[in-house]
Amino acid sequence: MATLIPLADIDAALIEDVLDAAFGPDRFARTAYKVREGTDWLPGLSFAALDEGEHIAGTIQCWPVALNDANGRAHPMIMVGPVAVLPGLQGKGYGKALVTASLTAIDPRAPLPQVMIGDADYYGRFFGFSAAHTAGWKLPGPWDPARLLCRTANPAVLPGEGMLGPWRG
């Protein structure tokens, strides 16, 4: 079983090593990086998973983002991810434990909608993410609309259209 600790307790170079191993050194060109550009990850929602030997096995970061509607109003959201697990340890439950920890840490009294770019089958089945409300959303780069996912307790608060980007509030 994974031991989860705050990501802030992990050396930044180790976090970068895990991200490089999971996504490759060209990861900075991905659209998700543009969505959260210029922001810092949220320490209270970001974690590291340690294996039995207390070595880093994976990480998750959550970010402050917003869906900016046509009227210029920013609708705050939490971007979940990247969920990064070392390639040799994928499929062993580390990613699921990391996502569960992040989603559980969100304040239930005022839960912001959560958004991610990911596999709809996996994140829908285990965590309730869906592309049902994101068809009119845009991102600052190429993306597969079927992989732009959102999770919220109240879909009525979601704008039908807008541009997803960093939270500048």
Side-chain angles (χ1 to χ4, degrees), residues 75-102:
H75 301 264
M77 298 183 174
I78 298 167
M79 185 167 203
V80 178
V83 181
V85 177
L86 293 173
L89 299 175
Q90 292 175 2
K92 297 185 180 207
Y94 291 107
K96 191 173 182 181
L98 287 163
V99 175
T100 299
S102 288

Side-chain angles (χ1 to χ4, degrees), residues 3-75:
T3 299
L4 300 179
I5 63 171
L7 191 60
D9 292 350
I10 298 293
D11 182 277
L14 288 175
I15 296 169
E16 294 301 312
D17 289 347
V18 171
L19 291 166
D20 282 345
F23 299 111
D26 62 340
R27 63 189 164 88
F28 295 102
R30 292 178 178 228
T31 299
Y33 278 81
K34 294 174 185 159
V35 170
R36 57 186 191 251
E37 188 173 57
T39 64
D40 293 324
W41 47 269
L42 300 165
L45 303 179
S46 301
F47 297 91
L50 306 179
D51 65 13
E52 293 88 14
E54 295 192 7
H55 298 103
I56 190 167
T59 64
I60 187 169
Q61 295 168 317
C62 291
W63 305 79
V65 298
L67 186 68
N68 299 290
D69 67 23
N71 297 321
R73 180 176 174 216
H75 301 264

Side-chain angles (χ1 to χ4, degrees), residues 120-134:
D121 288 338
Y122 179 82
Y123 290 104
R125 179 173 18 132
F126 292 112
F127 305 106
F129 282 90
S130 167
H133 301 287
T134 62

